[in-house]
Structures are given as structure tokens and as C-alpha cells.
Amino acid sequence: MAFLHKLSKASSLASASLIRHLSNVPENTVYGGPKPQTPNQRVTLNQLRQKYNKGEPITMVTAYDYPSAVHLDTAGIDICLVGDSASMVVHGHDTTLPITLDEMLVHCRAVARGAKRPLLVGDLPFGTYETSTSQAVDTAVRILKGGGMDAIKLEGGSPSRITAAKAIVEAGIAVIGHVGLTPQAISVLGGFRPQGKNVASAVKVVETAMALQEAGCFSVVLECVPAPVAAAATSALQIPTIGIGAGPFCSGQVLVYHDLLGMLQHPHHAKVTPKFCKQFARVGDIINKALLEYKEEVTNGSFPGPSHTPYRMNPKDVNGFSKELQRLGLDDAASAANEAAIEPEKMNMVNTGSN
């Protein structure tokens, strides 16, 4: 009985220890939800609001896959936007219109696996939220549940878009609005044209941004508008503005990943790269150089050399392998195996001698 009592006590202690280790219930919270925010955990709307209130610029960059998301995460970018611009810079289309919701969800999930810190925002692609508020809410829900996003972004400021934004917010989903140049509306705009260049258009940009704020958006993207228009909108709003081609007077800035890195150096990309974009690197040139060097080394036989041929057989196994090949009537294969076993050693000797 004493043994059973000790065993029971030990089991209880182990269970208590296990519960303590598995517990993720933070102190001073209303319910057992996520732990309090730390610099290494997900950016929240409250943190963005704090930055906005302090006048600290907010950074946003697009990402479309796991590697780009990891880079944004490492750089400490505030907001990671899985943009429908993937249609152009990833899928090679001339506009953002062709990308589908299913394709966007693939991008969203990949980004969610790579970016652990930034607030994750997914674009609602063209054709997935215009029909009704019900369609808009359903699409937004899929972006969060199926894509792993924290919020969504939608374009435009027509009454139906304002209504859609309001319905999505009321469904419990955070929304970023988008005014100025709205690429999904190029059929109406007549191409990728800047907005707000005359009085009526400028006033419309400001009024639309204010309507999106009233609908419950926590931020508004201002794209391709003159700096005075962006400054006026930023002053009129009580939520952050994120500029892209809108000058320095916004609450933050966003650029497309491929554009700011100079990732793609070819005629198609030159055609769709906006003039407002600063290339902070020319990564495309580095990629092209590396690929050419790889092709050259494979062609001249210098790659892979001994240092990149790491897997070895000991001489006894090489000999046994060769005999088995001969037994199977594969004499040429046996000779090739023997030569391959000797060749790395020869190359090592040559390299050692040259050093």
C-alpha cells in the first residue's frame, strides 16, 4: 500500500508539473488567450495604434511566399501584406485582376508559416467581394481561417465597398482600406493612373478615406496621389495612412517586395515597376550572376568538385560493390564506380598541392 501511495503521489506531482509546463495562461488578462505581446511576438493593432499616436512611422512590405516572409520577419517589418500584386510579380500577369482566391490562399498560408512577428494582412482579390456584403464577409473569413491572416485589405471607396468594409468589421475582422489608384479598377480608371491631381479628384480621395474610417477600417492605404492630398488625408483621419507613391506625409509606407529589392531585371518587370519605387538593392543582378556562374561551372566540369561531393564509400565497400557489378555483367559500371572512387582523391591531392 505504501508503494502504491508513493506511486500515486509521484504521478500527481508529475501531472502537476506537466500542467505547469503546458500552461499558456498569462496573468492579468480577461481570459486564457495569447501571452502578452513581446518584441518577438505578433504585432497587434494596439501596437500599431501606439506607434501612430507617438508619430512613429509604420513599415509595410508585401510578401508572397515563405522565404520573403522570413526576410520581413527578420527585418522587423510591422505589417506584411500578402498582396494581389502577386498576380504581376509572381504569376507574370500584366494586372492584378487574374489572381484567384484559391491562389491567394496558397500565398497567404506560405507567408503565415514564415512571418511570425508582423501583422499579416491579405488582399481580397478582384471578383471575390463585389457582389454582396455576404460574399465579402465570406471571402474575408476564408482569408483569415484558410490563409492564416490577421486582417484583410480591400480596394475602393464606392458605397458598396464602404458597406462591405463595414460588414467585414462587424463580422469581427480587421480591415485596411485602399484609395487613390486602385489597381483592381483599371478598367474604369483607364490604366494605372495617379489620382487626386485636380480639385474634385483630390477631395474625393480625402472623403473616401474618411468614409472608410467611419466604416471601421483601422488604416487606409493611399496609392499614387500627390503629396498635398496624402498630407490632407493623413491630417483629416484619426487612423494611420500607409503611402505608396504618395509622398512622405503619411503615417507609414508600403512597397512591393520585388520592386524595392530590384528582384526582377527583365522587360516585363520594367513595364510594371512604378516610377515612385526606390530600389534598395539590385538582387536580380546578383541572382543572374550566380546562375551564369553555376551554368559555367557545370559546363566546364568544375562543379561539383570534391568539397561538394561529401558522401564516401570506404575502399572495402567500393571493392565489394565493384565485384557485385561485375557479377551482374556490368563491367563498364564497375569501372565507372572504381574511377569515381579514385577521382575525388586525385582532385584533393591536386588542390592540396596547389595550396
Side-chain angles (χ1 to χ4, degrees), residues 314-334:
N314 64 52
K316 181 179 177 181
D317 286 331
V318 171
N319 186 51
F321 179 47
S322 177
K323 288 181 178 179
E324 279 298 309
L325 291 171
Q326 289 174 336
R327 186 180 68 78
L328 294 169
L330 301 173
D331 292 346
D332 289 346

Side-chain angles (χ1 to χ4, degrees), residues 82-100:
V82 184
D84 60 357
S85 48
S87 179
M88 301 173 74
V89 297
V90 177
H91 295 271
H93 297 296
D94 289 334
T95 72
T96 63
L97 303 184
I99 197 165
T100 66

Side-chain angles (χ1 to χ4, degrees), residues 24-313:
N24 192 35
V25 180
E27 296 180 1
N28 302 320
T29 58
V30 177
Y31 62 94
K35 289 184 178 179
Q37 188 71 30
T38 71
N40 295 322
Q41 293 180 318
R42 182 77 69 205
V43 170
T44 66
L45 297 189
N46 284 339
Q47 286 181 308
L48 293 177
R49 166 60 63 174
Q50 289 169 10
K51 292 193 76 167
Y52 170 71
N53 289 338
K54 294 176 183 177
E56 298 176 2
I58 295 168
T59 56
M60 181 194 289
V61 179
T62 65
Y64 313 101
D65 55 20
Y66 179 83
S68 57
V70 170
H71 284 304
L72 266 62
D73 201 62
T74 303
I77 299 298
D78 296 316
I79 304 174
C80 174
L81 172 64
V82 184
D84 60 357
S85 48
S87 179
M88 301 173 74
V89 297
V90 177
H91 295 271
H93 297 296
D94 289 334
T95 72
T96 63
L97 303 184
I99 197 165
T100 66
L101 178 57
D102 287 338
E103 288 171 332
M104 283 295 297
L105 288 171
V106 171
H107 291 297
C108 287
R109 287 192 289 268
V111 167
R113 287 189 286 269
K116 303 304 180 186
R117 181 185 178 278
L119 184 79
L120 301 179
V121 180
D123 258 337
L124 299 191
F126 177 71
T128 66
Y129 63 101
E130 298 87 347
T131 302
S132 66
T133 55
S134 177
Q135 183 199 34
V137 171
D138 288 345
T139 301
V141 168
R142 288 194 66 188
I143 291 289
L144 264 66
K145 291 186 69 173
M149 298 290 100
D150 303 311
I152 65 95
K153 181 173 76 66
L154 56 73
E155 290 187 12
S158 65
S160 63
R161 301 295 171 88
I162 302 297
T163 302
K166 188 173 187 294
I168 294 169
V169 172
E170 289 178 349
I173 299 171
V175 177
I176 295 181
H178 184 155
V179 300
L181 169 59
T182 48
Q184 291 179 8
I186 60 169
S187 177
V188 175
L189 299 177
F192 296 104
R193 300 180 183 279
Q195 303 298 301
K197 294 181 70 175
N198 58 49
V199 174
S201 180
V203 170
K204 183 179 178 181
V205 169
V206 176
E207 289 181 337
T208 302
M210 293 177 69
L212 287 165
Q213 175 182 258
E214 184 67 23
C217 293
F218 72 89
S219 180
V220 175
V221 170
L222 304 174
E223 180 168 359
C224 292
V225 299
V229 178
T234 302
S235 176
L237 296 177
Q238 296 179 338
I239 57 175
T241 57
I242 307 295
I244 176 167
F249 304 108
C250 297
S251 312
Q253 298 291 328
V254 58
L255 283 177
V256 170
Y257 181 84
H258 293 69
D259 292 346
L260 76 89
L261 292 179
M263 182 73 77
L264 303 176
Q265 308 292 335
H266 58 75
H268 172 79
H269 191 249
K271 182 171 62 175
V272 300
T273 301
K275 64 176 67 175
F276 59 75
C277 182
K278 176 180 178 180
Q279 288 190 344
F280 289 81
R282 291 185 64 85
V283 174
D285 289 340
I286 297 171
I287 292 172
N288 290 339
K289 182 175 181 292
L291 289 172
L292 288 171
E293 289 180 1
Y294 164 74
K295 176 187 174 184
E296 176 63 23
E297 290 194 12
V298 170
T299 302
N300 65 29
S302 60
F303 176 83
S307 61
H308 295 103
T309 310
Y311 311 113
R312 300 282 192 267
M313 295 177 74

Side-chain angles (χ1 to χ4, degrees), residues 331-346:
D331 292 346
D332 289 346
S335 297
N338 287 326
E339 183 63 28
I342 296 169
E343 189 65 27
E345 302 304 325
K346 286 182 178 179

